Amino acid sequence: MQKKLIKIIKRAGKILKKGFYSNKSVSFKAKKDLVTKYDIAVENYLKKEFSKYFKEFNIIAEESDNSNIEFNNSIIIDPIDGTTNFVNGVPHTAISVGVYKDKKPYIGVVYNPILDELYFAKVGKGAFINGEKLKVSKEKILQKSLLATGFPYSSGTNNEDLKDVLIKIENILPHCQDLRRLGSASIDLCFVSKGVFEGYYEMNLKPWDVAAGIIILSEAGGKISNIEGNSFDMFKDKYIVATNGKIHDELLSKLDI
Ligand code: IPD
Ligand code: CA
Ligand code: CA
């Protein structure tokens, strides 16, 4: 499956890349939540090819109606993760594909066609960027850690969420090296896998934002939990906390207040 999967995702990357360098008309799903014809085109292409070659899997995809699809043997797609970056020409945008067998992680692929960076992991076989092994950072001290986060689209309409974002920044910023907001959850998880970031947290993400990245990070030696420090459920948990493992508890102690 893995060779074919990568081949299809690389081809879909050509659609994303063409869109990145073209004029795009933008529609709004919500006040801050954008969608373009390229999100739809990448998703349609992936769905068409995956359903042709991987018939034993159903498909859960961001721009589709998933209401009648049961998570089990599933391929979870975010056709463009980092759409705001994509629209504005920030090259931090990717296709994210997580494959689950019997609800269990199997393969994760995150592909940024602009930088031609393909992150891949298969459970038990390690994580790789363009074929080179990925390993999380060894840093143990939160104060020396570069962290990342994201701001939920709901921050434009939900005052509770906005307040929560701000309180967490206030608690964390003095205690880490610095905090980044790069705008693509799947790549943020890959950057923790690569040792660029020591940790990452965010609220209100959807399964397609993280389905691939959490497989890649686990295989690179990282740790993922919800905000209470329990095992993370991508369908239910409000927060994801993802780190190199070494700063996990200290980061949790600043977040879970
Ligand atoms: C978004 C990105 C962003 C995160 C948002 C996500 P999208 O996905 O991952 O980094 O902060 O919460 O929804 O909408 O670009 O696919
Ligand atoms: Ca996304
Ligand atoms: Ca998306």
Side-chain angles (χ1 to χ4, degrees), residues 33 62 78 80-83 150-151 153 181 183-185 202 205 209:
D33 197 353
E62 178 174 13
D78 191 335
I80 303 184
D81 184 47
T83 295
F151 307 137
Y153 293 133
R181 195 289 187 250
S184 164
E202 185 162 350
L205 291 175
D209 298 314

Short mmCIF file of all heavy atoms in Angstrom, two decimals, residues 33 62 78 80-83 150-151 153 181 183-185 202 205 209, ligand 1:
data_model
loop_
_atom_site.label_atom_id
_atom_site.label_comp_id
_atom_site.label_asym_id
_atom_site.label_seq_id
_atom_site.Cartn_x
_atom_site.Cartn_y
_atom_site.Cartn_z
N ASP A 33 -12.66 30.65 8.48
CA ASP A 33 -12.35 29.34 7.90
C ASP A 33 -12.51 29.39 6.37
O ASP A 33 -13.62 29.45 5.85
CB ASP A 33 -13.30 28.31 8.53
CG ASP A 33 -12.82 26.90 8.33
OD1 ASP A 33 -11.84 26.70 7.59
OD2 ASP A 33 -13.44 25.98 8.90
N GLU A 62 -11.98 16.20 4.93
CA GLU A 62 -12.45 17.47 5.48
C GLU A 62 -13.59 18.11 4.69
O GLU A 62 -14.56 18.58 5.29
CB GLU A 62 -11.29 18.48 5.57
CG GLU A 62 -11.79 19.83 6.08
CD GLU A 62 -10.71 20.85 6.35
OE1 GLU A 62 -9.57 20.66 5.93
OE2 GLU A 62 -11.05 21.86 7.00
N ASP A 78 -6.83 15.44 4.99
CA ASP A 78 -6.94 16.90 4.93
C ASP A 78 -6.26 17.31 3.62
O ASP A 78 -5.04 17.20 3.48
CB ASP A 78 -6.25 17.56 6.13
CG ASP A 78 -6.59 19.05 6.21
OD1 ASP A 78 -6.90 19.63 5.17
OD2 ASP A 78 -6.51 19.60 7.32
N ILE A 80 -5.75 20.18 2.07
CA ILE A 80 -4.78 21.27 2.26
C ILE A 80 -4.83 21.66 3.74
O ILE A 80 -5.82 22.24 4.19
CB ILE A 80 -5.09 22.50 1.38
CG1 ILE A 80 -5.15 22.12 -0.10
CG2 ILE A 80 -4.04 23.59 1.62
CD1 ILE A 80 -5.34 23.30 -1.06
N ASP A 81 -3.82 21.29 4.47
CA ASP A 81 -3.75 21.71 5.87
C ASP A 81 -2.86 22.95 5.91
O ASP A 81 -1.67 22.89 5.57
CB ASP A 81 -3.18 20.59 6.75
CG ASP A 81 -3.20 21.00 8.20
OD1 ASP A 81 -4.24 21.50 8.66
OD2 ASP A 81 -2.16 20.86 8.88
N GLY A 82 -3.47 24.05 6.34
CA GLY A 82 -2.78 25.34 6.24
C GLY A 82 -3.35 26.10 5.05
O GLY A 82 -2.61 26.68 4.25
N THR A 83 -4.68 26.13 4.95
CA THR A 83 -5.31 26.82 3.81
C THR A 83 -5.08 28.33 3.86
O THR A 83 -4.89 28.96 2.83
CB THR A 83 -6.82 26.49 3.76
OG1 THR A 83 -6.97 25.10 3.50
CG2 THR A 83 -7.54 27.25 2.66
N GLY A 150 -1.52 26.81 17.82
CA GLY A 150 -2.36 27.34 16.74
C GLY A 150 -3.54 28.02 17.39
O GLY A 150 -3.83 27.79 18.57
N PHE A 151 -4.19 28.88 16.63
CA PHE A 151 -5.34 29.60 17.14
C PHE A 151 -6.59 29.05 16.45
O PHE A 151 -6.64 29.01 15.22
CB PHE A 151 -5.21 31.10 16.86
CG PHE A 151 -3.92 31.68 17.36
CD1 PHE A 151 -3.19 32.57 16.59
CD2 PHE A 151 -3.40 31.32 18.60
CE1 PHE A 151 -1.99 33.10 17.03
CE2 PHE A 151 -2.20 31.84 19.06
CZ PHE A 151 -1.49 32.73 18.28
N TYR A 153 -10.24 28.61 14.71
CA TYR A 153 -11.11 29.51 13.95
C TYR A 153 -12.19 30.11 14.87
O TYR A 153 -12.64 31.22 14.66
CB TYR A 153 -11.77 28.76 12.78
CG TYR A 153 -10.78 28.33 11.73
CD1 TYR A 153 -10.80 27.03 11.22
CD2 TYR A 153 -9.84 29.21 11.24
CE1 TYR A 153 -9.90 26.63 10.25
CE2 TYR A 153 -8.93 28.82 10.27
CZ TYR A 153 -8.96 27.53 9.77
OH TYR A 153 -8.07 27.14 8.81
N ARG A 181 3.48 30.21 15.76
CA ARG A 181 2.17 29.86 15.21
C ARG A 181 2.38 29.83 13.69
O ARG A 181 2.36 30.86 13.03
CB ARG A 181 1.15 30.95 15.61
CG ARG A 181 -0.31 30.56 15.42
CD ARG A 181 -0.74 30.47 13.99
NE ARG A 181 -2.18 30.27 13.90
CZ ARG A 181 -2.75 29.14 13.50
NH1 ARG A 181 -2.03 28.11 13.12
NH2 ARG A 181 -4.07 29.04 13.45
N GLY A 183 0.69 27.73 11.40
CA GLY A 183 -0.53 27.67 10.59
C GLY A 183 -0.82 26.36 9.87
O GLY A 183 -1.64 26.34 8.96
N SER A 184 -0.16 25.28 10.28
CA SER A 184 -0.53 23.97 9.73
C SER A 184 -0.27 22.93 10.81
O SER A 184 0.88 22.60 11.12
CB SER A 184 0.29 23.67 8.47
OG SER A 184 0.21 22.29 8.18
N ALA A 185 -1.36 22.41 11.38
CA ALA A 185 -1.23 21.47 12.50
C ALA A 185 -0.43 20.23 12.11
O ALA A 185 0.39 19.73 12.88
CB ALA A 185 -2.62 21.06 12.97
N GLU A 202 -2.69 22.60 20.84
CA GLU A 202 -3.73 23.38 20.15
C GLU A 202 -5.10 22.86 20.55
O GLU A 202 -5.25 21.70 20.92
CB GLU A 202 -3.55 23.29 18.62
CG GLU A 202 -4.53 24.18 17.87
CD GLU A 202 -4.16 24.50 16.42
OE1 GLU A 202 -3.03 24.18 16.02
OE2 GLU A 202 -5.03 25.05 15.72
N LEU A 205 -9.03 21.03 17.20
CA LEU A 205 -8.61 20.45 15.93
C LEU A 205 -9.57 19.33 15.53
O LEU A 205 -10.29 18.79 16.36
CB LEU A 205 -7.18 19.92 16.02
CG LEU A 205 -6.12 21.01 16.17
CD1 LEU A 205 -4.75 20.39 16.38
CD2 LEU A 205 -6.10 21.94 14.97
N ASP A 209 -6.78 17.06 10.80
CA ASP A 209 -5.61 17.91 11.08
C ASP A 209 -4.46 17.09 11.66
O ASP A 209 -3.29 17.47 11.52
CB ASP A 209 -5.97 19.01 12.10
CG ASP A 209 -7.05 19.95 11.61
OD1 ASP A 209 -6.96 20.40 10.46
OD2 ASP A 209 -7.99 20.25 12.38
C1 IPD B 1 -5.99 24.48 10.15
C2 IPD B 1 -4.51 24.46 10.37
C3 IPD B 1 -4.13 25.44 11.45
C4 IPD B 1 -4.89 25.21 12.72
C5 IPD B 1 -6.36 25.20 12.43
C6 IPD B 1 -6.69 24.13 11.41
P1 IPD B 1 -6.94 24.06 7.69
O1 IPD B 1 -6.39 23.57 9.14
O2 IPD B 1 -4.06 23.18 10.73
O3 IPD B 1 -2.76 25.38 11.77
O4 IPD B 1 -4.57 26.21 13.64
O5 IPD B 1 -7.06 25.00 13.61
O6 IPD B 1 -8.06 24.05 11.23
O7 IPD B 1 -8.26 24.73 7.90
O8 IPD B 1 -5.93 24.95 7.10
O9 IPD B 1 -7.08 22.75 6.98
#
